mmCIF file of all heavy atoms in Angstrom:
data_model
loop_
_atom_site.group_PDB
_atom_site.id
_atom_site.type_symbol
_atom_site.label_atom_id
_atom_site.label_comp_id
_atom_site.label_asym_id
_atom_site.label_seq_id
_atom_site.Cartn_x
_atom_site.Cartn_y
_atom_site.Cartn_z
ATOM 1 N N ARG A 98 95.868 -75.167 -171.702
ATOM 2 C CA ARG A 98 95.528 -73.844 -171.177
ATOM 3 C C ARG A 98 94.010 -73.696 -171.202
ATOM 4 O O ARG A 98 93.345 -73.968 -172.174
ATOM 5 C CB ARG A 98 96.157 -72.780 -172.123
ATOM 6 C CG ARG A 98 95.793 -71.371 -171.660
ATOM 7 C CD ARG A 98 96.506 -70.310 -172.510
ATOM 8 N NE ARG A 98 97.961 -70.251 -172.300
ATOM 9 C CZ ARG A 98 98.745 -69.293 -172.784
ATOM 10 N NH1 ARG A 98 98.205 -68.296 -173.451
ATOM 11 N NH2 ARG A 98 100.044 -69.341 -172.591
ATOM 12 N N PHE A 99 93.471 -73.274 -170.044
ATOM 13 C CA PHE A 99 92.040 -72.933 -169.959
ATOM 14 C C PHE A 99 91.955 -71.406 -169.720
ATOM 15 O O PHE A 99 92.272 -70.919 -168.607
ATOM 16 C CB PHE A 99 91.372 -73.615 -168.768
ATOM 17 C CG PHE A 99 91.202 -75.156 -168.953
ATOM 18 C CD1 PHE A 99 90.952 -75.957 -167.820
ATOM 19 C CD2 PHE A 99 91.303 -75.736 -170.171
ATOM 20 C CE1 PHE A 99 90.800 -77.337 -167.933
ATOM 21 C CE2 PHE A 99 91.172 -77.157 -170.318
ATOM 22 C CZ PHE A 99 90.901 -77.958 -169.173
ATOM 23 N N HIS A 100 91.531 -70.669 -170.692
ATOM 24 C CA HIS A 100 91.397 -69.211 -170.561
ATOM 25 C C HIS A 100 90.468 -68.725 -171.677
ATOM 26 O O HIS A 100 90.534 -69.258 -172.806
ATOM 27 C CB HIS A 100 92.776 -68.578 -170.675
ATOM 28 C CG HIS A 100 92.861 -67.143 -170.201
ATOM 29 N ND1 HIS A 100 92.528 -66.096 -171.034
ATOM 30 C CD2 HIS A 100 93.133 -66.624 -168.996
ATOM 31 C CE1 HIS A 100 92.643 -64.938 -170.334
ATOM 32 N NE2 HIS A 100 93.034 -65.266 -169.116
ATOM 33 N N SER A 102 90.707 -66.372 -173.571
ATOM 34 C CA SER A 102 91.416 -65.833 -174.734
ATOM 35 C C SER A 102 91.998 -66.948 -175.629
ATOM 36 O O SER A 102 92.588 -66.650 -176.669
ATOM 37 C CB SER A 102 92.544 -64.932 -174.283
ATOM 38 O OG SER A 102 93.509 -65.699 -173.550
ATOM 39 N N LEU A 111 101.733 -71.703 -179.455
ATOM 40 C CA LEU A 111 102.351 -72.318 -178.286
ATOM 41 C C LEU A 111 102.927 -73.696 -178.653
ATOM 42 O O LEU A 111 104.048 -74.044 -178.209
ATOM 43 C CB LEU A 111 101.291 -72.465 -177.170
ATOM 44 C CG LEU A 111 100.940 -71.136 -176.499
ATOM 45 C CD1 LEU A 111 99.622 -71.277 -175.710
ATOM 46 C CD2 LEU A 111 102.048 -70.671 -175.546
ATOM 47 N N GLN A 115 106.807 -74.692 -178.446
ATOM 48 C CA GLN A 115 107.124 -75.838 -177.567
ATOM 49 C C GLN A 115 108.084 -76.795 -178.323
ATOM 50 O O GLN A 115 108.927 -77.447 -177.661
ATOM 51 C CB GLN A 115 105.804 -76.534 -177.219
ATOM 52 C CG GLN A 115 105.898 -77.463 -176.024
ATOM 53 C CD GLN A 115 105.785 -76.744 -174.680
ATOM 54 O OE1 GLN A 115 104.957 -75.903 -174.535
ATOM 55 N NE2 GLN A 115 106.625 -77.121 -173.747
ATOM 56 N N LYS A 118 111.483 -75.385 -177.791
ATOM 57 C CA LYS A 118 111.815 -75.389 -176.363
ATOM 58 C C LYS A 118 112.155 -76.798 -175.873
ATOM 59 O O LYS A 118 113.182 -77.033 -175.219
ATOM 60 C CB LYS A 118 110.574 -74.910 -175.568
ATOM 61 C CG LYS A 118 110.789 -74.796 -174.087
ATOM 62 C CD LYS A 118 109.441 -74.680 -173.327
ATOM 63 C CE LYS A 118 108.586 -73.586 -173.816
ATOM 64 N NZ LYS A 118 107.424 -73.312 -172.900
ATOM 65 N N LYS A 130 100.423 -78.634 -177.805
ATOM 66 C CA LYS A 130 99.741 -77.782 -176.806
ATOM 67 C C LYS A 130 98.247 -77.975 -177.003
ATOM 68 O O LYS A 130 97.761 -78.230 -178.122
ATOM 69 C CB LYS A 130 100.070 -76.300 -177.108
ATOM 70 C CG LYS A 130 99.844 -75.378 -175.961
ATOM 71 C CD LYS A 130 101.103 -75.324 -175.059
ATOM 72 C CE LYS A 130 100.885 -74.576 -173.757
ATOM 73 N NZ LYS A 130 102.181 -74.394 -173.091
ATOM 74 N N LYS A 138 87.677 -68.948 -163.904
ATOM 75 C CA LYS A 138 87.503 -67.905 -162.874
ATOM 76 C C LYS A 138 85.992 -67.843 -162.494
ATOM 77 O O LYS A 138 85.097 -67.774 -163.331
ATOM 78 C CB LYS A 138 87.923 -66.548 -163.363
ATOM 79 C CG LYS A 138 89.313 -66.208 -162.921
ATOM 80 C CD LYS A 138 89.717 -64.821 -163.320
ATOM 81 C CE LYS A 138 91.074 -64.851 -163.924
ATOM 82 N NZ LYS A 138 91.205 -64.196 -165.195
ATOM 83 N N GLY A 169 100.141 -78.871 -167.372
ATOM 84 C CA GLY A 169 99.413 -77.605 -167.045
ATOM 85 C C GLY A 169 99.925 -76.410 -167.813
ATOM 86 O O GLY A 169 100.971 -76.507 -168.479
ATOM 87 N N ASP A 170 99.203 -75.359 -167.763
ATOM 88 C CA ASP A 170 99.581 -74.071 -168.330
ATOM 89 C C ASP A 170 98.596 -73.071 -167.677
ATOM 90 O O ASP A 170 98.029 -73.356 -166.594
ATOM 91 C CB ASP A 170 99.443 -74.085 -169.862
ATOM 92 C CG ASP A 170 100.168 -72.843 -170.520
ATOM 93 O OD1 ASP A 170 101.399 -72.856 -170.627
ATOM 94 O OD2 ASP A 170 99.456 -71.881 -170.875
ATOM 95 N N ILE A 171 98.341 -71.909 -168.277
ATOM 96 C CA ILE A 171 97.457 -70.934 -167.660
ATOM 97 C C ILE A 171 96.094 -71.598 -167.354
ATOM 98 O O ILE A 171 95.518 -72.237 -168.215
ATOM 99 C CB ILE A 171 97.222 -69.710 -168.582
ATOM 100 C CG1 ILE A 171 98.548 -68.893 -168.714
ATOM 101 C CG2 ILE A 171 96.112 -68.819 -168.088
ATOM 102 C CD1 ILE A 171 98.462 -67.733 -169.653
ATOM 103 N N GLY A 172 95.628 -71.440 -166.105
ATOM 104 C CA GLY A 172 94.322 -71.949 -165.714
ATOM 105 C C GLY A 172 94.292 -73.460 -165.468
ATOM 106 O O GLY A 172 93.222 -73.996 -165.180
ATOM 107 N N VAL A 173 95.379 -74.099 -165.665
ATOM 108 C CA VAL A 173 95.466 -75.579 -165.419
ATOM 109 C C VAL A 173 96.628 -75.858 -164.450
ATOM 110 O O VAL A 173 97.794 -75.692 -164.811
ATOM 111 C CB VAL A 173 95.623 -76.374 -166.712
ATOM 112 C CG1 VAL A 173 95.746 -77.870 -166.409
ATOM 113 C CG2 VAL A 173 94.447 -76.113 -167.652
ATOM 114 N N ARG A 209 108.272 -80.259 -159.813
ATOM 115 C CA ARG A 209 107.604 -79.857 -161.038
ATOM 116 C C ARG A 209 106.883 -78.546 -160.883
ATOM 117 O O ARG A 209 106.919 -77.683 -161.743
ATOM 118 C CB ARG A 209 106.660 -80.949 -161.542
ATOM 119 C CG ARG A 209 105.777 -80.501 -162.766
ATOM 120 C CD ARG A 209 106.644 -80.175 -163.955
ATOM 121 N NE ARG A 209 105.985 -79.586 -165.100
ATOM 122 C CZ ARG A 209 105.761 -78.257 -165.237
ATOM 123 N NH1 ARG A 209 106.216 -77.404 -164.323
ATOM 124 N NH2 ARG A 209 105.155 -77.768 -166.322
ATOM 125 N N THR A 210 106.214 -78.348 -159.711
ATOM 126 C CA THR A 210 105.465 -77.102 -159.494
ATOM 127 C C THR A 210 106.377 -75.883 -159.565
ATOM 128 O O THR A 210 106.008 -74.866 -160.142
ATOM 129 C CB THR A 210 104.758 -77.162 -158.118
ATOM 130 O OG1 THR A 210 104.078 -78.395 -158.029
ATOM 131 C CG2 THR A 210 103.775 -76.039 -157.946
ATOM 132 N N ALA A 212 109.375 -75.687 -160.980
ATOM 133 C CA ALA A 212 110.448 -75.740 -161.982
ATOM 134 C C ALA A 212 110.473 -74.591 -162.993
ATOM 135 O O ALA A 212 111.549 -74.136 -163.370
ATOM 136 C CB ALA A 212 110.378 -77.091 -162.705
ATOM 137 N N THR A 213 109.333 -74.115 -163.430
ATOM 138 C CA THR A 213 109.362 -73.100 -164.506
ATOM 139 C C THR A 213 109.929 -71.749 -163.975
ATOM 140 O O THR A 213 110.862 -71.189 -164.536
ATOM 141 C CB THR A 213 107.955 -72.862 -165.095
ATOM 142 O OG1 THR A 213 107.403 -74.146 -165.409
ATOM 143 C CG2 THR A 213 108.014 -71.978 -166.304
ATOM 144 N N SER A 240 105.882 -59.824 -163.764
ATOM 145 C CA SER A 240 104.434 -59.782 -164.039
ATOM 146 C C SER A 240 103.851 -61.171 -163.828
ATOM 147 O O SER A 240 104.547 -62.156 -163.827
ATOM 148 C CB SER A 240 104.202 -59.309 -165.479
ATOM 149 O OG SER A 240 104.684 -60.276 -166.363
ATOM 150 N N GLY A 241 102.509 -61.196 -163.675
ATOM 151 C CA GLY A 241 101.815 -62.418 -163.354
ATOM 152 C C GLY A 241 101.815 -62.627 -161.839
ATOM 153 O O GLY A 241 102.526 -61.975 -161.083
ATOM 154 N N SER A 242 100.943 -63.562 -161.403
ATOM 155 C CA SER A 242 100.907 -63.910 -160.017
ATOM 156 C C SER A 242 100.457 -65.416 -159.867
ATOM 157 O O SER A 242 99.945 -65.803 -158.875
ATOM 158 C CB SER A 242 99.988 -63.003 -159.225
ATOM 159 O OG SER A 242 98.730 -62.902 -159.863
ATOM 160 N N GLY A 243 100.697 -66.152 -160.932
ATOM 161 C CA GLY A 243 100.358 -67.556 -160.931
ATOM 162 C C GLY A 243 101.572 -68.418 -160.628
ATOM 163 O O GLY A 243 102.527 -67.992 -159.969
ATOM 164 N N ASN A 244 101.556 -69.656 -161.174
ATOM 165 C CA ASN A 244 102.586 -70.629 -160.894
ATOM 166 C C ASN A 244 103.966 -70.090 -161.256
ATOM 167 O O ASN A 244 104.872 -70.144 -160.447
ATOM 168 C CB ASN A 244 102.272 -71.899 -161.668
ATOM 169 C CG ASN A 244 103.394 -72.923 -161.588
ATOM 170 O OD1 ASN A 244 104.389 -72.789 -162.305
ATOM 171 N ND2 ASN A 244 103.302 -73.856 -160.684
ATOM 172 N N VAL A 245 104.130 -69.576 -162.419
ATOM 173 C CA VAL A 245 105.451 -69.183 -162.882
ATOM 174 C C VAL A 245 105.935 -67.961 -162.122
ATOM 175 O O VAL A 245 107.088 -67.927 -161.632
ATOM 176 C CB VAL A 245 105.502 -68.915 -164.416
ATOM 177 C CG1 VAL A 245 106.882 -68.532 -164.892
ATOM 178 C CG2 VAL A 245 104.994 -70.157 -165.144
ATOM 179 N N ALA A 246 105.095 -66.949 -162.010
ATOM 180 C CA ALA A 246 105.504 -65.678 -161.382
ATOM 181 C C ALA A 246 105.855 -65.878 -159.879
ATOM 182 O O ALA A 246 106.868 -65.341 -159.417
ATOM 183 C CB ALA A 246 104.392 -64.667 -161.488
ATOM 184 N N THR A 247 105.078 -66.637 -159.182
ATOM 185 C CA THR A 247 105.327 -66.801 -157.716
ATOM 186 C C THR A 247 106.608 -67.590 -157.458
ATOM 187 O O THR A 247 107.375 -67.276 -156.545
ATOM 188 C CB THR A 247 104.153 -67.431 -156.935
ATOM 189 O OG1 THR A 247 103.786 -68.645 -157.617
ATOM 190 C CG2 THR A 247 102.941 -66.515 -156.905
ATOM 191 N N SER A 264 101.495 -59.132 -160.852
ATOM 192 C CA SER A 264 100.326 -58.574 -161.550
ATOM 193 C C SER A 264 99.306 -59.686 -161.846
ATOM 194 O O SER A 264 99.599 -60.880 -161.716
ATOM 195 C CB SER A 264 100.720 -57.896 -162.863
ATOM 196 O OG SER A 264 101.093 -58.860 -163.827
ATOM 197 N N ASP A 265 98.105 -59.301 -162.260
ATOM 198 C CA ASP A 265 97.176 -60.187 -162.925
ATOM 199 C C ASP A 265 96.491 -59.415 -163.994
ATOM 200 O O ASP A 265 96.886 -58.252 -164.281
ATOM 201 C CB ASP A 265 96.255 -60.967 -161.964
ATOM 202 C CG ASP A 265 95.315 -60.045 -161.193
ATOM 203 O OD1 ASP A 265 95.101 -58.918 -161.580
ATOM 204 O OD2 ASP A 265 94.785 -60.532 -160.168
ATOM 205 N N SER A 266 95.448 -59.977 -164.586
ATOM 206 C CA SER A 266 94.840 -59.283 -165.749
ATOM 207 C C SER A 266 94.128 -57.952 -165.325
ATOM 208 O O SER A 266 93.871 -57.121 -166.168
ATOM 209 C CB SER A 266 93.826 -60.180 -166.408
ATOM 210 O OG SER A 266 92.990 -60.770 -165.502
ATOM 211 N N GLU A 267 93.954 -57.749 -164.028
ATOM 212 C CA GLU A 267 93.333 -56.485 -163.572
ATOM 213 C C GLU A 267 94.310 -55.340 -163.302
ATOM 214 O O GLU A 267 93.931 -54.148 -163.262
ATOM 215 C CB GLU A 267 92.465 -56.714 -162.339
ATOM 216 C CG GLU A 267 91.231 -57.535 -162.685
ATOM 217 C CD GLU A 267 90.454 -58.027 -161.453
ATOM 218 O OE1 GLU A 267 90.765 -57.565 -160.319
ATOM 219 O OE2 GLU A 267 89.558 -58.864 -161.652
ATOM 220 N N LYS A 288 96.087 -67.206 -154.530
ATOM 221 C CA LYS A 288 95.762 -67.634 -155.884
ATOM 222 C C LYS A 288 95.261 -69.097 -155.937
ATOM 223 O O LYS A 288 94.367 -69.452 -156.649
ATOM 224 C CB LYS A 288 96.978 -67.466 -156.765
ATOM 225 C CG LYS A 288 97.279 -66.010 -157.085
ATOM 226 C CD LYS A 288 96.291 -65.540 -158.145
ATOM 227 C CE LYS A 288 96.371 -64.024 -158.343
ATOM 228 N NZ LYS A 288 95.598 -63.580 -159.524
ATOM 229 N N ASN A 289 95.962 -69.974 -155.164
ATOM 230 C CA ASN A 289 95.665 -71.387 -155.291
ATOM 231 C C ASN A 289 94.502 -71.873 -154.417
ATOM 232 O O ASN A 289 93.755 -72.766 -154.816
ATOM 233 C CB ASN A 289 96.870 -72.244 -154.919
ATOM 234 C CG ASN A 289 98.030 -71.990 -155.896
ATOM 235 O OD1 ASN A 289 97.816 -71.622 -157.041
ATOM 236 N ND2 ASN A 289 99.275 -72.149 -155.428
ATOM 237 N N GLY A 293 91.740 -65.743 -155.322
ATOM 238 C CA GLY A 293 91.442 -64.314 -155.255
ATOM 239 C C GLY A 293 92.240 -63.501 -156.291
ATOM 240 O O GLY A 293 92.886 -64.063 -157.173
ATOM 241 N N ARG A 294 92.177 -62.137 -156.164
ATOM 242 C CA ARG A 294 92.798 -61.248 -157.131
ATOM 243 C C ARG A 294 94.017 -60.541 -156.452
ATOM 244 O O ARG A 294 94.032 -60.302 -155.225
ATOM 245 C CB ARG A 294 91.833 -60.169 -157.559
ATOM 246 C CG ARG A 294 90.466 -60.706 -157.979
ATOM 247 C CD ARG A 294 90.522 -61.690 -159.096
ATOM 248 N NE ARG A 294 91.168 -61.183 -160.282
ATOM 249 C CZ ARG A 294 91.906 -61.872 -161.173
ATOM 250 N NH1 ARG A 294 92.004 -63.197 -160.982
ATOM 251 N NH2 ARG A 294 92.454 -61.347 -162.199
ATOM 252 N N GLY A 311 94.035 -52.889 -165.732
ATOM 253 C CA GLY A 311 94.871 -53.810 -166.584
ATOM 254 C C GLY A 311 96.304 -53.332 -166.726
ATOM 255 O O GLY A 311 97.023 -53.837 -167.614
ATOM 256 N N ARG A 313 100.258 -52.795 -166.569
ATOM 257 C CA ARG A 313 101.371 -53.722 -166.439
ATOM 258 C C ARG A 313 102.533 -53.035 -165.739
ATOM 259 O O ARG A 313 102.655 -51.817 -165.789
ATOM 260 C CB ARG A 313 101.770 -54.255 -167.829
ATOM 261 C CG ARG A 313 100.705 -55.244 -168.318
ATOM 262 C CD ARG A 313 100.510 -55.292 -169.746
ATOM 263 N NE ARG A 313 99.393 -56.259 -170.041
ATOM 264 C CZ ARG A 313 98.944 -56.497 -171.204
ATOM 265 N NH1 ARG A 313 99.376 -55.873 -172.302
ATOM 266 N NH2 ARG A 313 97.964 -57.393 -171.379
ATOM 267 N N PRO A 324 108.827 -61.155 -167.339
ATOM 268 C CA PRO A 324 107.408 -61.241 -167.718
ATOM 269 C C PRO A 324 106.926 -62.687 -167.563
ATOM 270 O O PRO A 324 107.439 -63.557 -168.283
ATOM 271 C CB PRO A 324 107.365 -60.768 -169.165
ATOM 272 C CG PRO A 324 108.777 -60.723 -169.649
ATOM 273 C CD PRO A 324 109.707 -60.926 -168.478
ATOM 274 N N CYS A 325 105.983 -62.925 -166.670
ATOM 275 C CA CYS A 325 105.574 -64.302 -166.355
ATOM 276 C C CYS A 325 104.044 -64.489 -166.391
ATOM 277 O O CYS A 325 103.491 -65.311 -165.710
ATOM 278 C CB CYS A 325 106.061 -64.661 -164.942
ATOM 279 S SG CYS A 325 107.843 -64.714 -164.769
ATOM 280 N N ALA A 326 103.347 -63.635 -167.182
ATOM 281 C CA ALA A 326 101.875 -63.744 -167.228
ATOM 282 C C ALA A 326 101.408 -64.379 -168.538
ATOM 283 O O ALA A 326 100.916 -65.493 -168.562
ATOM 284 C CB ALA A 326 101.217 -62.393 -167.029
ATOM 285 N N THR A 327 101.560 -63.675 -169.641
ATOM 286 C CA THR A 327 100.922 -64.163 -170.906
ATOM 287 C C THR A 327 101.605 -63.603 -172.144
ATOM 288 O O THR A 327 102.516 -62.755 -172.033
ATOM 289 C CB THR A 327 99.414 -63.847 -170.873
ATOM 290 O OG1 THR A 327 98.776 -64.594 -171.877
ATOM 291 C CG2 THR A 327 99.123 -62.376 -170.992
ATOM 292 N N GLN A 328 101.109 -63.977 -173.322
ATOM 293 C CA GLN A 328 101.736 -63.472 -174.590
ATOM 294 C C GLN A 328 101.413 -62.021 -174.814
ATOM 295 O O GLN A 328 100.343 -61.508 -174.399
ATOM 296 C CB GLN A 328 101.256 -64.323 -175.784
ATOM 297 C CG GLN A 328 99.812 -64.235 -176.151
ATOM 298 C CD GLN A 328 98.987 -65.260 -175.385
ATOM 299 O OE1 GLN A 328 99.474 -66.013 -174.598
ATOM 300 N NE2 GLN A 328 97.653 -65.251 -175.672
ATOM 301 N N GLU A 330 102.410 -59.205 -173.568
ATOM 302 C CA GLU A 330 102.137 -58.297 -172.451
ATOM 303 C C GLU A 330 103.228 -57.258 -172.314
ATOM 304 O O GLU A 330 103.232 -56.473 -171.384
ATOM 305 C CB GLU A 330 102.061 -59.103 -171.130
ATOM 306 C CG GLU A 330 103.295 -59.999 -170.859
ATOM 307 C CD GLU A 330 103.368 -60.494 -169.429
ATOM 308 O OE1 GLU A 330 103.059 -59.759 -168.525
ATOM 309 O OE2 GLU A 330 103.845 -61.656 -169.275
ATOM 310 N N GLY A 350 109.552 -65.712 -168.386
ATOM 311 C CA GLY A 350 108.918 -66.891 -167.799
ATOM 312 C C GLY A 350 107.684 -67.347 -168.554
ATOM 313 O O GLY A 350 107.355 -68.494 -168.632
ATOM 314 N N ALA A 351 106.988 -66.373 -169.194
ATOM 315 C CA ALA A 351 105.835 -66.687 -169.998
ATOM 316 C C ALA A 351 106.281 -67.036 -171.410
ATOM 317 O O ALA A 351 107.431 -66.928 -171.806
ATOM 318 C CB ALA A 351 104.893 -65.487 -170.015
ATOM 319 N N ASN A 352 105.320 -67.483 -172.224
ATOM 320 C CA ASN A 352 105.596 -67.822 -173.629
ATOM 321 C C ASN A 352 105.234 -66.581 -174.499
ATOM 322 O O ASN A 352 104.115 -66.061 -174.443
ATOM 323 C CB ASN A 352 104.712 -68.998 -174.064
ATOM 324 C CG ASN A 352 105.259 -70.316 -173.522
ATOM 325 O OD1 ASN A 352 106.428 -70.606 -173.664
ATOM 326 N ND2 ASN A 352 104.361 -71.053 -172.837
ATOM 327 N N MET A 353 106.226 -66.134 -175.219
ATOM 328 C CA MET A 353 106.121 -64.954 -176.139
ATOM 329 C C MET A 353 105.498 -63.724 -175.481
ATOM 330 O O MET A 353 104.614 -63.045 -176.054
ATOM 331 C CB MET A 353 105.276 -65.366 -177.380
ATOM 332 C CG MET A 353 105.592 -64.548 -178.633
ATOM 333 S SD MET A 353 104.845 -65.260 -180.142
ATOM 334 C CE MET A 353 103.129 -64.879 -179.945
ATOM 335 N N PRO A 354 105.943 -63.353 -174.227
ATOM 336 C CA PRO A 354 105.348 -62.183 -173.585
ATOM 337 C C PRO A 354 105.738 -60.891 -174.265
ATOM 338 O O PRO A 354 105.063 -59.897 -174.176
ATOM 339 C CB PRO A 354 105.896 -62.260 -172.158
ATOM 340 C CG PRO A 354 107.168 -63.073 -172.281
ATOM 341 C CD PRO A 354 106.927 -64.059 -173.372
ATOM 342 N N GLY A 373 111.372 -66.924 -174.052
ATOM 343 C CA GLY A 373 110.633 -67.953 -173.248
ATOM 344 C C GLY A 373 111.113 -69.369 -173.602
ATOM 345 O O GLY A 373 111.249 -70.206 -172.728
ATOM 346 N N ASN A 377 112.004 -70.422 -169.995
ATOM 347 C CA ASN A 377 110.955 -71.121 -169.222
ATOM 348 C C ASN A 377 110.928 -72.610 -169.470
ATOM 349 O O ASN A 377 109.938 -73.305 -169.085
ATOM 350 C CB ASN A 377 109.612 -70.422 -169.414
ATOM 351 C CG ASN A 377 109.003 -70.690 -170.803
ATOM 352 O OD1 ASN A 377 109.152 -71.773 -171.378
ATOM 353 N ND2 ASN A 377 108.289 -69.695 -171.326
ATOM 354 N N ALA A 378 112.015 -73.144 -170.051
ATOM 355 C CA ALA A 378 111.992 -74.599 -170.410
ATOM 356 C C ALA A 378 112.169 -75.503 -169.171
ATOM 357 O O ALA A 378 112.055 -76.725 -169.280
ATOM 358 C CB ALA A 378 113.130 -74.903 -171.367
ATOM 359 N N GLY A 379 112.429 -74.932 -167.993
ATOM 360 C CA GLY A 379 112.600 -75.732 -166.816
ATOM 361 C C GLY A 379 111.367 -76.533 -166.438
ATOM 362 O O GLY A 379 111.450 -77.657 -165.933
ATOM 363 N N GLY A 380 110.202 -75.978 -166.714
ATOM 364 C CA GLY A 380 108.940 -76.651 -166.409
ATOM 365 C C GLY A 380 108.762 -77.929 -167.199
ATOM 366 O O GLY A 380 108.562 -79.015 -166.652
ATOM 367 N N VAL A 381 108.901 -77.788 -168.516
ATOM 368 C CA VAL A 381 108.680 -78.964 -169.360
ATOM 369 C C VAL A 381 109.891 -79.925 -169.163
ATOM 370 O O VAL A 381 109.718 -81.142 -169.291
ATOM 371 C CB VAL A 381 108.521 -78.585 -170.854
ATOM 372 C CG1 VAL A 381 109.789 -78.148 -171.547
ATOM 373 C CG2 VAL A 381 107.879 -79.763 -171.583
HETATM 374 P P1 NDP B 501 98.697 -69.350 -164.071
HETATM 375 O O1 NDP B 501 97.317 -69.618 -164.531
HETATM 376 O O2 NDP B 501 99.198 -69.990 -162.860
HETATM 377 O O3 NDP B 501 98.902 -67.780 -163.909
HETATM 378 C C1 NDP B 501 98.703 -66.938 -164.990
HETATM 379 C C2 NDP B 501 98.940 -65.523 -164.551
HETATM 380 O O4 NDP B 501 99.011 -64.678 -165.681
HETATM 381 C C3 NDP B 501 97.839 -64.991 -163.682
HETATM 382 O O5 NDP B 501 98.382 -64.051 -162.791
HETATM 383 C C4 NDP B 501 96.918 -64.382 -164.682
HETATM 384 O O6 NDP B 501 96.103 -63.358 -164.152
HETATM 385 C C5 NDP B 501 97.887 -63.763 -165.667
HETATM 386 N N1 NDP B 501 97.262 -63.686 -166.977
HETATM 387 C C6 NDP B 501 96.789 -64.732 -167.676
HETATM 388 N N2 NDP B 501 96.245 -64.296 -168.854
HETATM 389 C C7 NDP B 501 96.401 -62.953 -168.812
HETATM 390 C C8 NDP B 501 96.078 -61.945 -169.721
HETATM 391 N N3 NDP B 501 95.407 -62.209 -170.892
HETATM 392 N N4 NDP B 501 96.372 -60.680 -169.369
HETATM 393 C C9 NDP B 501 97.007 -60.379 -168.214
HETATM 394 N N5 NDP B 501 97.367 -61.311 -167.284
HETATM 395 C C10 NDP B 501 97.053 -62.582 -167.624
HETATM 396 O O7 NDP B 501 99.622 -69.701 -165.314
HETATM 397 P P2 NDP B 501 101.182 -69.986 -165.370
HETATM 398 O O8 NDP B 501 101.883 -69.213 -164.317
HETATM 399 O O9 NDP B 501 101.353 -71.438 -165.377
HETATM 400 O O10 NDP B 501 101.584 -69.435 -166.813
HETATM 401 C C11 NDP B 501 102.061 -68.124 -167.029
HETATM 402 C C12 NDP B 501 102.827 -68.061 -168.327
HETATM 403 O O11 NDP B 501 103.969 -68.985 -168.246
HETATM 404 C C13 NDP B 501 102.072 -68.496 -169.556
HETATM 405 O O12 NDP B 501 102.571 -67.788 -170.687
HETATM 406 C C14 NDP B 501 102.452 -69.936 -169.751
HETATM 407 O O13 NDP B 501 102.289 -70.398 -171.078
HETATM 408 C C15 NDP B 501 103.893 -69.915 -169.329
HETATM 409 N N6 NDP B 501 104.505 -71.147 -168.951
HETATM 410 C C16 NDP B 501 103.983 -71.923 -167.923
HETATM 411 C C17 NDP B 501 104.616 -73.100 -167.603
HETATM 412 C C18 NDP B 501 104.142 -73.948 -166.449
HETATM 413 O O14 NDP B 501 104.831 -74.879 -166.110
HETATM 414 N N7 NDP B 501 103.033 -73.616 -165.794
HETATM 415 C C19 NDP B 501 105.800 -73.585 -168.282
HETATM 416 C C20 NDP B 501 106.332 -72.647 -169.239
HETATM 417 C C21 NDP B 501 105.685 -71.508 -169.562
HETATM 418 P P3 NDP B 501 94.510 -63.621 -164.076
HETATM 419 O O15 NDP B 501 94.358 -64.522 -162.862
HETATM 420 O O16 NDP B 501 93.911 -62.323 -163.919
HETATM 421 O O17 NDP B 501 94.115 -64.320 -165.360
#
Side-chain angles (χ1 to χ4, degrees):
R98 179 177 290 191
F99 291 163
H100 196 273
S102 64
L111 288 162
Q115 198 83 44
K118 183 198 304 192
K130 201 88 187 188
K138 265 185 227 130
D170 194 79
I171 293 177
V173 177
R209 173 61 189 89
T210 309
T213 309
S240 66
S242 48
N244 173 279
V245 180
T247 51
S264 72
D265 63 19
S266 48
E267 288 170 12
K288 287 284 171 169
N289 297 333
R294 312 301 304 150
R313 285 150 183 177
C325 297
T327 192
Q328 66 273 0
E330 55 166 321
N352 285 308
M353 207 169 74
N377 72 35
V381 74

